[in-house]
Amino acid sequence: MNPVYLCRIKNKYSEAMTKVKDFFLSINAVADIPDDEYQKTAVLISAFEAISRTTCQSLYVIDYFRKDFLYVSANPLFLCGHAAGEVREMGYMFYIKNVPEEEQAMLTEINRAGFDFFNKIPVDERIHYTISYNFHLLNGKKKTLINHKLTPVLMTGEGKIWLAACVVSLSSHDTPGHIEMRKAGQTAFWTYSRESRRWTENPGIVLNERERDILLLSAQGYTMDEIAGRLFLAVDTIKFQKRRLFEKLEVKNIVEALSFASNHKLL
């Protein structure tokens, strides 16, 4: 990116309510990371690049020591019309430029609540946790609600996050928020309320075999009649099962159901 253009962006948003420093808290202050450790991250970046190519996922890596982005994939969902290299150079200014101002405060609150939760977890378990939340990205006049999942990649010996991987996908909800903390391999999870500013444990959702079959066959493009035939059930039974499934997932249609199931690893 042209340094002059980047300087203009920083000047333009220097008076914004949210500052870059608001995303980097003393509770996760990372001590010095030697340059030779950064040389080892080349392999890590190559791995993320390969994952992005094969899955077409939009992902990036946050560096909490240098307080910027170590890697940004070329998937356009997260880029808001910019090139991946431009977003990487912007670092956290990208959020200030491309997230609605009223949601920037939500992001800083989530950041603080997430680290408060994280630091109460035993150090040897922290690597297994992922925080998920939804917010809008702006591309001109267009607003896209995305789901953002963040998980540690490399940590310091003191349990601070040095590098974190972020996966961006379309949200299965229609409003921002929906803040969750999950541990790998565990059905139960925690939700954060901005009203009470507290985390509450949730037992989680488990799909039965028939629900999974209906979702998988729907994902493969089969019609209601075809799904009924393959499962040896009446069409009315499939319709009933779908309605119950939508209620269970709190979604309105099969597209949202598939997105929810994918985002929450239910399939």
Side-chain angles (χ1 to χ4, degrees):
M1 178 184 289
N2 187 310
V4 176
Y5 175 67
L6 185 59
C7 183
R8 287 175 180 170
I9 290 176
K10 290 180 178 179
N11 289 338
K12 181 179 179 181
Y13 293 94
S14 62
E15 301 302 321
M17 185 179 298
T18 304
K19 308 292 184 183
V20 170
K21 65 180 179 62
D22 296 334
F23 293 96
F24 296 96
L25 308 175
S26 59
I27 195 172
N28 189 61
V30 178
D32 184 58
I33 303 293
D35 288 342
D36 60 341
E37 289 297 312
Y38 275 97
Q39 293 174 10
K40 300 175 185 177
T41 63
V43 175
L44 182 67
I45 292 172
S46 295
F48 276 104
E49 186 64 44
I51 293 169
S52 178
R53 286 198 308 270
T54 55
T55 65
C56 297
Q57 283 276 20
S58 180
L59 43 89
Y60 64 106
V61 177
I62 296 174
D63 184 338
Y64 282 97
F65 175 63
R66 292 182 174 173
K67 302 179 180 180
D68 60 14
F69 298 156
L70 181 71
Y71 166 78
V72 177
S73 73
N75 188 297
L77 177 62
F78 179 64
L79 303 181
C80 297
H82 298 283
E86 291 175 334
V87 173
R88 183 183 169 190
E89 285 192 50
M90 287 183 201
Y92 268 68
M93 282 300 300
F94 172 82
Y95 292 121
I96 296 172
K97 180 178 184 294
N98 295 289
V99 174
E101 188 171 327
E102 64 272 16
E103 292 183 31
Q104 292 176 27
M106 180 189 74
L107 292 186
T108 58
E109 180 182 344
I110 292 171
N111 191 50
R112 183 173 298 279
F115 276 116
D116 285 343
F117 183 104
F118 192 74
N119 278 275
K120 294 174 183 176
I121 302 168
V123 171
D124 61 344
E125 295 182 17
R126 294 178 184 178
I127 197 75
H128 303 296
Y129 282 78
T130 298
I131 189 170
S132 169
Y133 46 94
N134 302 312
F135 60 94
H136 285 98
L137 287 177
L138 301 173
N139 187 356
K141 295 182 179 180
K142 180 181 179 182
K143 291 174 64 174
T144 302
L145 188 64
I146 59 102
N147 175 259
H148 188 278
K149 288 185 174 64
L150 186 152
T151 192
V153 176
L154 292 177
M155 302 181 63
T156 68
E158 296 78 26
K160 309 296 184 183
I161 300 177
W162 168 24
L163 301 178
C166 303
V167 179
V168 181
S169 59
L170 292 173
S171 173
S172 59
H173 296 89
D174 52 14
T175 56
H178 302 279
I179 307 149
E180 300 176 357
M181 184 77 73
R182 292 176 180 265
K183 183 180 181 182
Q186 185 170 301
T187 301
F189 62 96
W190 293 262
T191 57
Y192 179 74
S193 167
R194 295 190 66 203
E195 287 72 30
S196 66
R197 298 182 183 274
R198 292 182 179 179
W199 291 95
T200 303
E201 189 168 3
N202 187 304
I205 295 173
V206 177
L207 299 181
N208 60 42
E209 184 176 359
R210 183 171 294 175
E211 290 168 337
R212 285 195 297 270
D213 286 342
I214 290 173
L215 279 176
L216 288 170
L217 290 170
S218 297
Q220 294 172 44
Y222 289 104
T223 66
M224 199 89 72
D225 288 343
E226 290 169 334
I227 294 173
R230 284 179 168 267
L231 298 181
F232 304 102
L233 296 170
V235 173
D236 286 344
T237 301
I238 298 299
K239 290 179 179 179
F240 174 76
Q241 291 286 339
K242 271 193 172 182
R243 285 196 299 270
R244 291 288 300 273
L245 179 58
F246 294 167
E247 292 172 2
K248 186 175 185 177
L249 302 183
E250 297 183 355
V251 299
K252 297 187 291 291
N253 53 56
I254 193 64
V255 174
E256 291 183 0
L258 288 169
S259 177
F260 184 97
S262 175
N263 285 338
H264 295 86
K265 301 179 181 179
L266 298 180
L267 294 176

